[in-house]
């Protein structure tokens, strides 16, 4: 199927390190978020912040994850 904002999802992770008060041990947590691209496009301020973040990727990272394709699709979703 053709990739459109309606059938693409963005997956992000929030990773944290926390020191436990009693033991002093470190807990590593991961929270995964999945959101449809068209839903992100409707959130105030999100398209601009996401585009800015993608533009800030170093060239080697952008090439690895296909930033051009992601940016192009996101711009299409917003317009």
């Amino acid at each position: 199927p053709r990739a459109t904002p309606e059938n693409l999802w963005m997956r992000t992770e929030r990773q944290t390190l926390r020191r436990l008060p009693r033991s002093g041990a470190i807990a590593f947590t991961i929270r995964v978020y999945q959101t449809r691209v068209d839903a992100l496009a409707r959130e105030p301020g999100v398209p601009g912040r996401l585009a800015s973040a993608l533009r800030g990727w170093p060239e080697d990272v952008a090439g690895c994850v296909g930033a051009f394709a992601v940016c192009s699709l996101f711009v299409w979703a917003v317009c």
Side-chain angles (χ1 to χ4, degrees):
R2 183 170 174 242
T4 67
E6 293 80 21
N7 65 17
L8 288 180
W9 291 74
M10 181 173 166
R11 180 185 186 275
T12 57
E13 294 181 0
R14 179 180 172 161
Q15 301 176 356
T16 63
L17 294 171
R18 304 277 176 146
R19 183 171 302 278
L20 301 177
R22 282 191 184 158
S23 67
I26 302 293
F28 174 69
T29 62
I30 300 174
R31 171 71 167 105
V32 175
Y33 300 90
Q34 294 181 339
T35 308
R36 278 186 18 191
V37 171
D38 64 331
L40 284 174
R42 291 190 300 268
E43 289 291 323
V46 170
R49 289 194 314 268
L50 181 58
S52 178
L54 293 174
R55 282 192 299 269
W57 286 355
E59 199 171 306
D60 58 333
V61 172
C64 177
V65 296
F68 177 76
V70 173
C71 283
S72 297
L73 183 63
F74 204 73
V75 168
W76 181 80
V78 173
C79 295

